[in-house]
Amino acid sequence: EIGSGLVGSEMCKETGTGFAYVSGDDTYHHGLGSKLYTVASKDNLWQIAEEQLGDGTRYPEIRELNGLTCNVIRVGMQLVLP
């Protein structure tokens, strides 16, 4: 489902890192990233971008890479980071 984060734990051999987001719905979304981040309580995309990427304004990259259509994230969701 788009925006649900990663499903399963199979490594993606086509990426250098092994991390990818793929959605096989009517529209195809995918993204290759450098690492995984598991959403914790009280996280938001700006904060994750700031802490993990060094710049909060990069949060749209996380949205796009993970096929998110809004800023809603859930605790335990795994996000691919650029």
Side-chain angles (χ1 to χ4, degrees):
E1 180 179 347
I2 295 175
S4 63
L6 296 174
V7 178
S9 60
E10 188 172 323
M11 296 297 280
C12 179
K13 296 175 186 159
E14 288 77 18
T15 71
T17 62
F19 303 121
Y21 171 91
V22 177
S23 172
D25 290 341
D26 293 338
T27 57
Y28 181 75
H29 296 273
H30 74 281
L32 306 179
S34 62
K35 61 183 174 177
L36 284 178
Y37 179 83
T38 302
V39 176
S41 179
K42 300 183 181 179
D43 274 351
N44 62 62
L45 291 175
W46 180 282
Q47 174 191 2
I48 294 168
E50 192 169 67
E51 292 176 359
Q52 299 295 314
L53 307 177
D55 182 358
T57 64
R58 292 184 64 190
Y59 80 91
E61 294 176 46
I62 298 172
R63 279 184 53 178
E64 182 178 341
L65 193 60
N66 289 276
L68 299 173
T69 57
C70 65
N71 291 336
V72 176
I73 54 176
R74 292 179 300 283
V75 172
M77 177 185 270
Q78 290 188 306
L79 299 173
V80 177
L81 299 180

